[in-house]
Amino acid sequence: MSQDVTFVNGFPFIPYHQPVRSASEMAERANRFFEEMSARRSIRDFSADPVDRIVVLKCIETATTAPSGANKQPYTFCLVSDPHLKKQIREAAEKEEYESYTKRMSDEWLDDIRPLQTDWHKPFLETAPYLIVVFKKAFDFAGAAKKNNYYVTESVGLACGFLLAALHQVGLAALTHTPSPMNFLSSILQRPENERPFLLIPVGYAAADALVPDIKRKPLSELLVEYVEN
Ligand SMILES: Cc1cc2nc3c(=O)[nH]c(=O)nc-3n(C[C@H](O)[C@H](O)[C@H](O)COP(=O)(O)O)c2cc1C
């Protein structure tokens, strides 16, 4: 332990050193990060070009720095590059997606996703060099005892947000995919009973001829309510 440790009611605390930045540097960083993140898009046409595994692992490690309820980090990231497993996942996902697109989705839902022009075919699940399958853990095991996790969905969602941001800023493409129901991921990847599939994220490079829907994001004015002193 470093020398800077202070004990608060017997628990170790260390100083936090806030980076000091000028107002102009902060504004410049805010603008630069906004521009970077606004350029992120969900990609559905991947190239098969290989991706450096170490880079993907670092992005996953970045995801684990997200805040989580009681610091429990209630998730498991499965990194799949085995072509046999990718094929199995694609076949199972397409089976569910066929049912969803032809029977399970409401007319309103189908209308809402029409601009994306998606259907039940998911070739990217085999083309993308990596699939990151994120599982959320409602509880953990300490030996035979169950240990609770807290705000599990919020915590896993935040970690996935960090992951998507990290992948984007290193120059990789990803898709947030939810071929619902996703139970097939638990059996194919042989996950334990305390884990439930959360997101399936293909990762790689966008195909050279990839197209993305020309959809718009809402302006901040529609999404923000400010409360200031009169
Ligand atoms: C929770 C969640 C689930 C999603 N599921 C799917 C999906 O199953 N298939 C898909 O093609 N896109 C899926 N998307 C991607 C959205 O369609 C996409 O984020 C949205 O259209 C905005 O486009 P953009 O990511 O390019 O900005 C999902 C996104 C989120 C956040």
Side-chain angles (χ1 to χ4, degrees), residues 44 101 110 112-122 213:
R44 300 174 181 89
Y101 276 86
L110 289 168
D112 280 340
I113 59 170
R114 196 152 291 128
L116 310 179
Q117 286 295 294
T118 51
D119 61 26
W120 62 269
H121 296 93
K122 305 296 170 189

Side-chain angles (χ1 to χ4, degrees), residues 2-217:
S2 92
Q3 299 158 326
D4 286 343
V5 173
T6 305
F7 286 88
V8 180
N9 293 325
F11 292 93
F13 278 68
I14 49 174
Y16 177 71
H17 300 290
Q18 176 82 57
V20 179
R21 298 198 172 107
S22 68
S24 66
E25 191 188 352
M26 286 171 76
E28 200 220 312
R29 288 173 71 100
N31 286 329
R32 214 181 324 131
F33 194 59
F34 171 76
E35 293 302 333
E36 176 98 31
M37 293 311 295
S38 334
R40 184 211 52 80
R41 294 303 311 270
S42 290
I43 296 302
R44 300 174 181 89
D45 297 311
F46 283 85
S47 108
D49 289 350
V51 164
D52 186 348
R53 173 177 158 274
I54 300 297
V55 170
V56 178
L57 288 177
K58 193 48 79 176
C59 292
I60 295 174
E61 198 175 356
T62 302
T64 71
T65 68
S68 66
N71 196 29
K72 293 282 189 169
Q73 299 180 266
Y75 37 68
T76 301
F77 294 91
C78 295
L79 183 59
V80 181
S81 53
D82 177 346
H84 302 290
L85 280 178
K86 287 198 293 179
K87 185 169 190 290
Q88 267 181 274
I89 290 173
R90 175 188 177 177
E91 285 172 359
E94 287 188 331
K95 202 163 157 230
E96 293 298 353
E97 289 287 79
Y98 179 81
E99 292 299 311
S100 294
Y101 276 86
T102 57
K103 295 175 201 150
R104 293 197 283 238
M105 285 170 163
S106 65
D107 287 344
E108 184 183 356
W109 193 347
L110 289 168
D111 270 352
D112 280 340
I113 59 170
R114 196 152 291 128
L116 310 179
Q117 286 295 294
T118 51
D119 61 26
W120 62 269
H121 296 93
K122 305 296 170 189
F124 52 77
L125 292 175
E126 280 191 271
T127 323
Y130 285 109
L131 303 179
I132 301 176
V133 190
V134 187
F135 288 85
K136 66 176 186 180
K137 299 203 276 187
F139 57 92
D140 267 295
F141 288 109
K146 285 183 180 178
K147 292 280 289 171
N148 266 336
N149 290 327
Y150 310 99
Y151 299 107
V152 171
T153 303
E154 293 85 344
S155 301
V156 185
L158 283 163
C160 288
F162 274 40
L163 174 64
L164 294 173
L167 292 167
H168 172 68
Q169 71 84 40
V170 300
L172 288 170
L175 174 67
T176 314
H177 190 27
T178 43
S180 170
M182 295 198 282
N183 309 343
F184 63 88
L185 292 166
S186 304
S187 46
I188 293 174
L189 299 176
Q190 301 182 6
R191 300 314 305 161
E193 59 157 304
N194 61 326
E195 295 187 8
R196 294 281 177 270
F198 187 73
L199 287 181
L200 169 53
I201 306 177
V203 174
Y205 296 106
D209 59 354
L211 296 174
V212 291
D214 186 14
I215 51 178
K216 303 286 174 242
R217 296 188 173 119

